Amino acid sequence: EVQLVESGGGLLQPGGSLRLSCAASGFSVSNNYMTWVRQAPGKGLQWVSAIYTGDRTFYADSVKGRFTISRDNSKNTLYLQMNSLRTEDTAVYYCAREFHSGSLDYWGQGTLVTVSS
Amino acid sequence: DIQMTQSPSSLSASVGDRVTITCRAGQSISTYLNWYQQKAGKAPKLLIYAASSLQSGVPSRFSGSGSGTDFTLTVSSLQPEDFATYYCQQSYSSPYTFGQGTKLESK
């Protein structure tokens, strides 16, 4: 059974750093495209970052230069390193597996990141 | 970035109704359009991919159509469990932007 479980969220002050993890089971992150999507409280979905085969990475303009997506194939885990956090980064962060034509077929339960002074 | 615009933003309907949600892309995206359903406090669920392909396990009352810039999601006969928020997403070019969502509420 395919499962994604995020962890690492929390409360921190502006300017801080945090690393989110997404542990996968039932498939291998090494040969799948993986994505992070976030959702601010009461708002819609925002695509954040993706990592493809060959470790090609992509970022939304709003996080470029501050966030880094990576994966550890030996742990079958996806990561999102978030630096220089801002209040507008407050959101539930979901990891998801890319399926056919860029759609996202499996999602984790989400982890809440709150950036506040 | 490709802007995705959904209409309406909210919709009231009754069980058994036929409902259509529209998504418009800011430029042509061929059929790289996906639809998701999200219930409160839960992760989104993929319904339709590539504009018109039904994801495995999704009831056949859901259907999608369109190409280029204009797309629709139709629910042929609303069921109680269908009241939720629906999002379109383009996967034509990065960043894979989402529409703002359509909240489907019970009348």
Side-chain angles (χ1 to χ4, degrees):
Chain A
E1 179 191 6
V2 170
Q3 195 171 12
L4 294 166
V5 179
E6 299 98 337
S7 60
L11 171 63
L12 64 163
Q13 293 187 334
S17 296
L18 202 61
R19 189 178 80 161
L20 305 183
S21 300
C22 171
S25 56
F27 74 102
S28 173
V29 298
S30 63
N31 53 25
N32 279 270
Y33 295 0
M34 300 296 296
T35 296
W36 288 97
V37 174
R38 69 185 180 184
Q39 186 169 36
K43 303 296 184 183
L45 302 170
Q46 182 187 21
W47 183 95
V48 173
S49 180
I51 186 166
Y52 290 174
T53 53
D55 285 341
R56 291 176 295 148
T57 57
F58 301 86
Y59 299 94
D61 285 346
S62 57
V63 307
K64 200 173 293 182
R66 301 188 298 123
F67 290 11
T68 302
I69 190 172
S70 64
R71 57 189 161 198
D72 185 329
N73 297 335
S74 67
K75 296 182 179 178
N76 208 28
T77 298
L78 177 73
Y79 300 103
L80 186 67
Q81 176 68 43
M82 304 186 296
N83 299 329
S84 303
L85 281 160
R86 305 167 180 169
T87 55
E88 56 264 35
D89 296 319
T90 294
V92 173
Y93 285 74
Y94 297 99
C95 63
R97 185 182 78 169
E98 193 168 310
F99 177 51
H100 188 285
S101 299
S103 63
L104 302 171
D105 65 342
Y106 284 96
W107 297 63
Q109 84 287 355
T111 187
L112 176 62
V113 174
T114 303
V115 184
S116 175
S117 55
Chain B
D1 298 3
I2 298 176
Q3 184 172 359
M4 305 300 293
T5 304
Q6 289 181 233
S7 60
S9 295
S10 62
L11 178 59
S12 294
S14 301
V15 172
D17 284 354
R18 180 183 180 89
V19 169
T20 297
I21 298 170
T22 297
C23 180
R24 175 164 288 177
Q27 66 179 73
S28 177
I29 57 170
S30 184
T31 56
Y32 288 87
L33 191 283
N34 313 302
W35 289 98
Y36 301 87
Q37 176 194 68
Q38 187 180 33
K39 297 182 178 178
K42 299 295 187 181
K45 172 187 175 182
L46 177 64
L47 299 176
I48 302 286
Y49 62 93
S52 60
S53 296
L54 191 68
Q55 171 66 344
S56 175
V58 174
S60 59
R61 62 181 180 272
F62 291 93
S63 64
S65 66
S67 67
T69 60
D70 294 318
F71 302 86
T72 59
L73 172 70
T74 298
V75 188
S76 61
S77 179
L78 268 176
Q79 298 302 300
E81 61 268 29
D82 299 338
F83 294 102
T85 301
Y86 293 83
Y87 295 93
C88 63
Q89 179 209 22
Q90 65 84 15
S91 51
Y92 179 79
S93 69
S94 180
Y96 289 172
T97 42
F98 291 87
Q100 82 279 13
T102 295
K103 187 172 185 178
L104 179 53
E105 298 174 304
S106 177
K107 188 181 290 184

